Amino acid sequence: MRELVIATKNRKKLREIRQLLDGYKVKLYCLDDFPGAPNIKENGKTFQENAVKKAMRIAQFTKMLSLGEDSGLEVMALEGAPGIYSSRFGGWPKDDEKNNRKLLRLLKGLPLSERKAVYKSAVAVAGKEGLIKVVEGKCSGLIAYTPCGKYGFGYDPLFIIPKYKKTFAELGEKIKHTMSHRGQAFRKIKKTLIKLLQ
């Protein structure tokens, strides 16, 4: 069985990636499986830069096929913020609820029509020889007035899918994966992964 390292310590993200890779004949590892793995600073200017950096650094460290993913929320009324700072938008330590509270505070008073947002995800795959492929996925929606739902993580309780008039956190993982930014990115990289993991 082939092996793939997911370059993250984020348990919620890892769980979602495991679901998206369900059906692949692959043994998955994460950074917690490698004591001494480098702590990667997400200081790129784009999601792609951060995803590539994660995949490359971990592939070099482990000498194994590695996958890096970076994602976040861009809100039009906030000129694209929080963007690459999505996970630490509310300050340190990182906390989903703090991020959501700050977002709601900044959007206070705006009608739903002015609460447009895009979730974006970049996925990169690298081997010890270097970068193999990088792709992006995105999903458009609106920011709710209050958090709703119990599924997912991050900004999912606030991210409304207009077609359903519900947040990702209300729709649940199965429906979310069919349209989410991360789901789209993984579908784009599927052929590459299948070829690499044969």
Side-chain angles (χ1 to χ4, degrees), residues 26-75:
V26 57
K27 183 174 176 61
L28 295 179
Y29 296 91
C30 70
L31 295 186
D32 288 337
D33 296 314
F34 297 92
N39 187 22
I40 302 165
K41 286 187 178 180
E42 297 179 22
N43 56 3
K45 293 180 180 178
T46 65
F47 297 120
Q48 272 204 18
E49 283 184 22
N50 284 332
V52 168
K53 185 176 183 181
K54 293 176 190 178
M56 295 274 284
R57 287 285 303 280
I58 297 308
Q60 289 165 5
F61 176 78
T62 62
K63 309 300 180 194
M64 295 168 65
L65 188 67
S66 299
L67 183 148
E69 192 270 355
D70 195 42
S71 53
L73 184 73
E74 294 182 352
V75 181

Side-chain angles (χ1 to χ4, degrees), residues 67-152:
L67 183 148
E69 192 270 355
D70 195 42
S71 53
L73 184 73
E74 294 182 352
V75 181
M76 308 305 105
L78 302 179
E79 299 181 350
I84 57 171
Y85 305 105
S86 291
S87 67
R88 52 193 187 275
F89 192 48
W92 297 92
K94 298 179 189 179
D95 181 83
D96 289 349
E97 287 188 20
K98 280 198 302 185
N99 293 337
N100 286 334
R101 283 198 301 270
K102 181 176 180 179
L103 181 60
L104 289 175
R105 189 171 69 249
L106 293 174
L107 294 178
K108 189 175 181 180
L110 287 182
L112 200 59
S113 61
E114 294 179 30
R115 300 167 81 95
K116 293 176 182 175
V118 179
Y119 247 145
K120 289 185 177 179
S121 168
V123 175
V125 175
K128 57 186 178 182
E129 300 83 11
L131 181 66
I132 297 168
K133 191 174 180 72
V134 59
V135 299
E136 282 190 315
K138 64 181 181 178
C139 179
S140 298
L142 300 166
I143 302 302
Y145 296 108
T146 56
C148 296
K150 60 180 181 179
Y151 301 101

